[in-house]
Amino acid sequence: ITLPTVGRDASHENATCIDDAGSATCKCDDGFEGDGHDCEPLVCGALDDPQHGKVVVDGDSPGSVATYECDQGYEPSHSESRTCQESGEWSGSAPTCEAMACEPMELIEDPSFEAGNGGPWSEGSDVFGTAICNEACGNAGGTAGPRTGAFWAWLGGASPSETAWVEQDVLIPNQGPYHLSFWLKVSPRNGNATMEVRVDDQTVRVIPEPPADDAEYVQYTVDLRDFADGAEHAIRFHYVSDGGVSNFHLDDVTLEC
């Protein structure tokens, strides 16, 4: 019995051919695909970006690596990398980007300003010098006062113009919490005042006067996900008015999940 001989046909560079009684049968080598006469390199197909993330690939040929990266505040459900195999398939399965677990914690000191002037909040006012008040500041005809406790930040209350602010350096963990929550009551209005929420001198929210005076405090939230990096950031509430008396009353500032 004469066994078939295995060899390389010069016309089939990426194929291995078996010569059986003068008839050659060719098969593409590993890493190539085709009919044995025309063999092209295998490539792995394109990968979709996961929601809340992206996939970065360094090629599509066998041995190439795809790395999954999740947005800030999200983490991959399993292995972050996949490899293009000789079969033309990516190894494993695509991870999903899932929100990191958030543990509630007190990150802002003195959230309701109860330490008064000289506490953890720095403050300023062009007209009054300070912005944190208690009943000694008055009540503006019954419209001014704290939401909770005895103190609050009174931004405004002067004519014709006023700039006032309160600020605190806050460490925002990688996994959060990073939703800034605060309560605001605007009354009365002058039509020319705004309050900016700033982080490291970057304005992340501008709050104009409402269409009507607030009868009660209203809760606002601002997503600070982009600043959740395990470092300290200066959170500032900055009020500006250039005509007439307007009052922005601020209280109960927290970072929540």
Side-chain angles (χ1 to χ4, degrees), residues 99-209:
M100 292 181 176
C102 174
E103 297 182 8
M105 60 185 78
E106 282 293 340
L107 296 173
I108 293 180
E109 293 185 66
D110 190 23
S112 60
F113 306 99
E114 296 308 302
N117 309 114
W121 291 93
S122 57
E123 57 178 320
S125 164
D126 286 355
V127 175
F128 303 106
T130 61
I132 297 175
C133 280
N134 61 8
E135 62 181 6
C137 296
N139 64 10
T143 63
R147 176 177 178 267
T148 60
F151 288 81
W152 78 102
W154 186 342
L155 307 177
S159 178
S161 63
E162 163 72 321
T163 298
W165 53 272
V166 291
E167 179 176 303
Q168 185 177 144
D169 291 337
V170 181
L171 188 149
I172 306 178
N174 288 313
Q175 74 275 15
Y178 44 70
H179 288 100
L180 179 66
S181 169
F182 55 93
W183 292 79
L184 193 66
K185 179 182 177 182
V186 182
S187 179
R189 304 161 297 121
N190 65 18
N192 297 294
T194 59
M195 188 187 78
E196 295 181 359
V197 181
R198 300 179 182 177
V199 180
D200 300 333
D201 292 326
Q202 177 181 334
T203 299
V204 295
R205 176 81 178 268
V206 177
I207 299 177
E209 295 176 329

Side-chain angles (χ1 to χ4, degrees), residues 49-54 69-72 74 97-99 225:
D49 289 334
Q51 186 177 15
H52 305 301
K54 65 181 179 179
E69 300 176 359
C70 294
D71 296 339
Q72 189 76 39
Y74 293 85
C97 290
E98 301 176 353
R225 188 190 314 269

Side-chain angles (χ1 to χ4, degrees), residues 44-45 47 55-69 79-85 89-91:
C44 289
L47 296 171
V55 59
V56 179
V57 297
D58 62 7
D60 58 7
S61 59
S64 298
V65 176
T67 303
Y68 289 80
E69 300 176 359
S79 176
E80 301 177 28
S81 64
R82 301 171 71 187
T83 302
C84 180
Q85 303 177 99
E89 301 291 333
W90 291 100
S91 64

